[in-house]
Amino acid sequence: MATAKPGAENNSTVEKISCTLRQFASQYPFENLDVVTQNTMPITETFLFQKFSQYRGGLCYELNPYLYLQLKEEGYNVKLVSGTISNGNHWALDGTHVLILLDLGDSLWLVDAGFGNQLALSPIQIDGMAVSSAAGSFRARRLQTPKGTHVLEMKSEEHWIIKYAFSLKELPWKKLTDIKEQITFHEKSPFNSSPLIAQCFSDQTLSVTDKQMRVRFSKTGRQKLVKFNDPTEFMKEVKTLFSNSIFEKTSEYMKKAEKHG
């Protein structure tokens, strides 16, 4: 793997975007509440601005397009592409992960704010050096796979594991709504059966479902696992940890779930 370092100008750009990614991740969690409540509104710029102005979060097809719009507005050369998640021995739904590619002229970088709580919180240079965050160590490189020409890998003990594959072809904006529909209704979608709210901070990662909360502290590697005995405990944690709009949307889901048994 290459170990080339970006030049001074690119270093400055990477640090600016890293700062943006850290702020973005602290404000907007990865959450599937629109999916489990079957919100079918199309992904438009207006929809994203309205949703994120309420300090909601979203899935990759919302988080990364919203960040893409911000980066594009600031003058960066960015584009959206799609990828396919690898679940060890099999691939997930084809092309349903959305990510950003940043072109700095002499180098290409992966930017991802929508991969659960497994976030690098920094651009990752393709065929460049690995980067680390509270979630772990990441690298991006060219590798031909059945699902694309490039991969994002995450280190597990001493091994690098493919987390998703992608190609460099730009994703048309209209495809975002198609991806949303697949994630919302496809029988093999991993996000349409129960609520998930996850976040990556500078010193810890957090994951909350209706069954449990898991916190991992990066400095010590220690994990805190809290099992919920009933929905009240789950809702109490959501109210404590997240925005009012997320709490309200979670309440909507819980009422529907209770009604349908």
Side-chain angles (χ1 to χ4, degrees):
M1 178 170 177
T3 57
K5 296 183 179 180
E9 184 176 346
N10 283 357
N11 267 331
S12 176
T13 298
V14 169
E15 183 50 43
K16 287 178 182 177
I17 296 179
S18 297
C19 182
T20 297
L21 282 166
R22 292 190 293 269
Q23 293 174 343
F24 194 90
S26 68
Q27 289 181 322
Y28 307 118
F30 181 92
E31 50 100 336
N32 67 339
L33 299 172
D34 275 1
V35 172
V36 294
T37 56
Q38 296 191 345
N39 177 320
T40 57
M41 292 184 66
I43 305 294
T44 64
E45 292 186 21
T46 299
F47 171 78
L48 293 178
F49 281 118
Q50 289 176 342
K51 182 174 185 179
F52 287 101
S53 68
Q54 300 171 13
Y55 291 96
R56 284 285 306 281
L59 296 183
C60 64
Y61 52 79
E62 297 164 317
L63 291 162
N64 280 324
Y66 186 59
L67 177 60
Y68 157 85
L69 292 173
Q70 292 185 21
L71 295 176
K72 188 177 180 182
E73 179 69 20
E74 293 171 15
Y76 294 111
N77 185 6
V78 289
K79 67 179 180 180
L80 294 172
V81 302
S82 66
T84 301
I85 304 294
S86 172
N87 292 319
N89 296 324
H90 68 278
W91 298 97
L93 291 174
D94 192 40
T96 54
H97 183 60
V98 177
L99 56 140
I100 301 168
L101 290 181
L102 167 70
D103 189 345
L104 294 183
D106 59 353
S107 55
L108 191 63
W109 301 69
L110 184 157
V111 178
D112 195 343
F115 194 48
N117 59 11
Q118 296 184 344
L119 302 180
L121 298 180
S122 172
I124 307 169
Q125 185 179 1
I126 293 177
D127 289 329
M129 297 181 70
V131 301
S132 297
S133 70
S137 296
F138 302 84
R139 71 181 185 184
R141 65 189 182 103
R142 286 171 287 185
L143 180 68
Q144 188 66 49
T145 74
K147 300 299 180 180
T149 55
H150 294 69
V151 295
L152 172 79
E153 296 177 315
M154 188 173 179
K155 198 168 190 180
S156 176
E157 296 180 352
E158 297 302 316
H159 303 285
W160 288 96
I161 307 297
I162 294 176
K163 304 303 289 186
Y164 58 77
F166 62 97
S167 294
L168 306 185
K169 183 180 178 180
E170 187 165 11
L171 179 70
W173 187 275
K174 64 182 180 180
K175 290 291 185 181
L176 297 174
T177 300
D178 295 338
I179 292 171
K180 177 179 180 176
E181 290 179 357
Q182 273 196 283
I183 294 298
T184 302
F185 297 110
H186 198 288
E187 61 181 6
K188 293 185 178 180
S189 168
F191 297 117
N192 60 11
S193 59
S194 59
L196 168 66
I197 312 171
Q199 220 157 356
C200 182
F201 301 98
S202 60
D203 60 348
Q204 66 183 47
T205 60
L206 169 70
S207 178
V208 182
T209 71
D210 56 346
K211 300 293 189 296
Q212 66 182 36
M213 175 179 69
R214 186 185 299 273
V215 184
R216 179 182 177 275
F217 301 94
S218 61
K219 288 185 179 180
T220 62
R222 183 174 66 87
Q223 294 196 44
K224 175 184 176 183
L225 180 64
V226 178
K227 299 279 188 177
F228 300 136
N229 296 310
D230 55 56
T232 303
E233 293 184 357
F234 166 56
M235 292 303 300
K236 181 179 179 181
E237 288 296 342
V238 172
K239 187 174 182 62
T240 300
L241 294 169
F242 305 108
S243 67
N244 288 334
S245 59
I246 287 179
F247 175 76
E248 290 169 1
K249 195 68 176 177
T250 308
S251 297
E252 177 187 331
Y253 164 78
M254 297 301 286
K255 289 175 183 177
K256 286 185 177 180
E258 184 179 358
K259 182 179 179 180
H260 291 89

